Amino acid sequence: MLPRGKSRLAAAILVLGSVLPTAQPVSAPPSGDVSFTGSGGITLHGTVFRPDGPAKSAIVLQGGSDWRTRDNLRVQAEMFRRLGVTTLVYDRRTSGYSKTQRDYGVLADDLV
């Protein structure tokens, strides 16, 4: 059995592997930082990692309870980029979420 974090990554790779053979490549601008509106109108900041050639697919990575910033997922995002997958990683909200105040529904809404 894989450790908890690695099993999530393995599951994402399995799901992604089933999509890649049918995905159509698309062209996209180069990698860079982005901002977007999360649940409740909060502004979230992230980084998009785009492959050098046409993208085969896209994925959003969200880590587990032990991370806060996108830097914690940079290695995984770079791996997907090298595989031809556009990847978004973003910093978890700090407003409305803390060790004493948790609302996983809000985090899920941010992800959507």
Side-chain angles (χ1 to χ4, degrees):
M1 183 172 198
L2 293 171
R4 184 177 201 117
K6 294 191 187 236
S7 62
R8 289 181 184 162
L9 180 59
I13 291 170
L14 288 174
V15 169
L16 186 62
S18 66
V19 174
L20 287 178
T22 59
Q24 298 298 316
V26 295
S27 295
S31 300
D33 291 337
V34 296
S35 295
F36 60 95
T37 304
S39 177
I42 190 169
T43 300
L44 299 170
H45 305 281
T47 302
V48 175
F49 295 82
R50 292 190 178 92
D52 294 331
K56 298 175 184 175
S57 187
I59 189 170
V60 178
L61 296 181
Q62 182 181 40
S65 61
D66 61 338
W67 72 281
R68 266 198 190 274
T69 67
R70 61 193 117 149
D71 289 333
N72 296 105
L73 294 170
R74 185 170 296 275
V75 171
Q76 293 85 350
E78 285 290 344
M79 177 198 69
F80 281 115
R81 183 193 64 77
R82 286 190 301 273
L83 292 171
V85 178
T86 298
T87 306
L88 168 65
V89 294
Y90 63 94
D91 299 333
R92 182 185 303 165
R93 67 174 41 239
T94 55
S95 173
Y97 183 86
S98 69
K99 288 183 178 183
T100 59
Q101 177 186 2
R102 296 184 184 228
D103 185 344
Y104 296 108
V106 171
L107 294 181
D109 289 343
D110 288 345
L111 182 62
V112 172

